[in-house]
Amino acid sequence: IELGPLGGTTSGGMIPGTTSGGGQSGAAPAPDVPPPTPAPVPDDALLATLKQAYYDDFYASRGQSFVDTSTLPLLSENNVGTPGKPQRTATAQWRAYRYLSSRSDVWDASSGTVTMDVERLLQVYALKVFYLTFEWSVVGDDECAWPGVTCRGLGVHADDSEVGEDDLRVVGLSVRGDVSAADRRGPDLVGEMPLELAFLIHLEQIDLSHNRLDGELRGEVLGWKNVRVIELNDNLLSGKIPPELGQATQLTKLTLHHNLFSGTVPPSLCDLRADQSLHFLWVDCSPDAAAGGTAKVRCPVADCCTICFEGYSPDLYGTYESKVVDGSKHAVSADKMS
């Protein structure tokens, strides 16, 4: 027995008004009518605020065409990887949103309004996505007390009043993989850097070195205008070095060596070296004997790169075991600096 298009039942899947002998009872066969599509549930103000931030940072600010933010897949309870097969585990982004919605200092459920300053809201969200992505647990709701986070009060108080929580902004994030597990309070960072780190707009220093970050280093993440130090060495990052790094005019130190980068150092970074603002630029630009004497990354201008490394031995990728006496967890073979 199955439900007919108009709510009646038929036997053997027959459309109402037909007979088994092929004759009709006077009515034309009803066409197959698909079930109506449920109306989408409107976003609450908190979810709409987060989606707008994605649009502003990753689409509008880059001059790209309009994207319907209501369909943003990362912020969906059932993010679909394969059509018709929702993933079993909600995304880190969705879980971070649900975390925020549970906090009374962020979200007033009775009035449906966001009660936290949007800039701070995005920094809490970004950090929560970061830790959920790499399966780290954090304790408490004070993001400035979470592992590796450094905050500073950026509020203006003419009356010299004490800086409150809403005035604190994240200026540093340090989660190195070459320290003890007790100090890190979590496993190595394995996977791609979350785009949401771009929401830490006051970031001045980031150190995610000696982990297992992989994939391409996406330029969208690197829009920190005040950043001075970026340390991403000793990971498995690949592809080209993004030219967006050259827009960080306050940058003084950039370490990208011991990765899988290829190509040429962007001229925009060499310009920072020429302006004498970027003091340290370390990449795998030394000729590698295992690669036939070819450097993995080429420095196009003399004195652009301050220190060149040979980088990883190609036959040892993925082992993460030390082959040198300095105790590095990654596999490097007779690495030399020049």
Side-chain angles (χ1 to χ4, degrees):
I1 304 295
E2 64 181 25
L3 190 66
L6 300 180
T9 60
T10 66
S11 178
M14 294 176 62
I15 299 173
T18 66
T19 64
S20 59
Q24 296 186 352
S25 61
D32 291 335
V33 179
T37 302
V41 178
D43 293 339
D44 59 42
L46 175 58
L47 190 56
T49 299
L50 295 176
K51 289 183 176 181
Q52 186 63 44
Y54 279 92
Y55 174 70
D56 292 342
D57 271 37
F58 304 128
Y59 297 102
S61 64
R62 299 172 66 84
Q64 296 180 356
S65 59
F66 177 77
V67 174
D68 182 4
T69 55
S70 66
T71 62
L72 189 70
L74 294 176
L75 276 170
S76 173
E77 185 172 11
N78 290 320
N79 181 32
V80 177
T82 302
K85 296 182 179 179
Q87 61 181 32
R88 293 181 178 273
T89 304
T91 64
Q93 290 78 7
W94 180 260
R95 292 156 63 197
Y97 154 68
R98 296 298 299 164
Y99 161 76
L100 289 173
S101 65
S102 70
R103 286 181 51 168
S104 59
D105 61 333
V106 173
W107 171 247
D108 184 350
S110 60
S111 64
T113 56
V114 176
T115 55
M116 179 177 283
D117 173 80
V118 173
E119 190 174 280
R120 185 184 173 210
L121 167 71
L122 291 176
Q123 92 172 3
V124 176
Y125 172 72
L127 289 172
K128 194 66 176 180
V129 170
F130 175 82
Y131 290 115
L132 287 171
T133 296
F134 298 117
E135 301 180 359
W136 278 44
S137 60
V138 295
V139 178
D141 292 333
D142 180 5
E143 71 274 20
C144 294
W146 290 348
V149 175
T150 301
C151 291
R152 188 169 65 243
L154 299 179
V156 177
H157 300 274
D159 57 355
D160 294 327
S161 59
E162 184 178 352
V163 175
E165 280 189 349
D166 284 338
D167 301 311
L168 295 174
R169 295 295 180 265
V170 175
V171 295
L173 180 61
S174 178
V175 185
R176 295 173 60 99
D178 61 346
V179 296
S180 68
D183 291 334
R184 285 186 291 120
R185 288 180 281 178
D188 282 356
L189 309 182
V190 180
E192 297 186 4
M193 288 176 59
L195 281 175
E196 290 75 15
L197 289 177
F199 295 149
L200 302 178
I201 61 174
H202 295 286
L203 201 63
E204 297 177 0
Q205 179 172 355
I206 181 168
D207 185 355
L208 305 181
S209 62
H210 298 272
N211 282 288
R212 284 187 275 170
L213 297 173
D214 58 23
E216 294 189 1
L217 184 58
R218 298 177 61 176
E220 298 97 314
V221 185
L222 307 170
W224 308 303
K225 296 181 180 179
N226 300 320
V227 69
R228 297 197 304 268
V229 176
I230 299 176
E231 296 179 271
L232 298 175
N233 54 283
D234 290 273
N235 280 289
L236 298 170
L237 297 167
S238 59
K240 309 295 183 183
I241 297 175
E244 287 86 349
L245 282 167
Q247 300 173 9
T249 56
Q250 304 299 313
L251 191 61
T252 61
K253 182 178 182 180
L254 175 62
T255 61
L256 300 176
H257 58 287
H258 291 170
N259 275 289
L260 308 179
F261 290 117
S262 60
T264 303
V265 174
S268 56
L269 277 176
C270 294
D271 291 341
L272 294 182
R273 285 281 300 136
D275 295 339
Q276 297 183 345
S277 57
L278 180 58
H279 303 307
F280 303 97
L281 175 56
W282 298 357
V283 296
D284 294 325
C285 50
S286 183
D288 182 7
T294 302
K296 294 181 175 63
V297 177
R298 190 175 69 89
C299 292
V301 180
D303 298 328
C304 176
C305 305
T306 56
I307 295 183
C308 286
F309 294 77
E310 284 187 359
Y312 294 119
S313 175
D315 60 335
L316 295 174
Y317 289 158
T319 63
Y320 314 119
E321 296 176 357
S322 175
K323 299 297 179 183
V324 290
V325 295
D326 65 359
S328 170
K329 73 170 61 181
H330 291 297
V332 292
S333 178
D335 192 21
K336 299 177 181 178
M337 297 185 301
S338 62

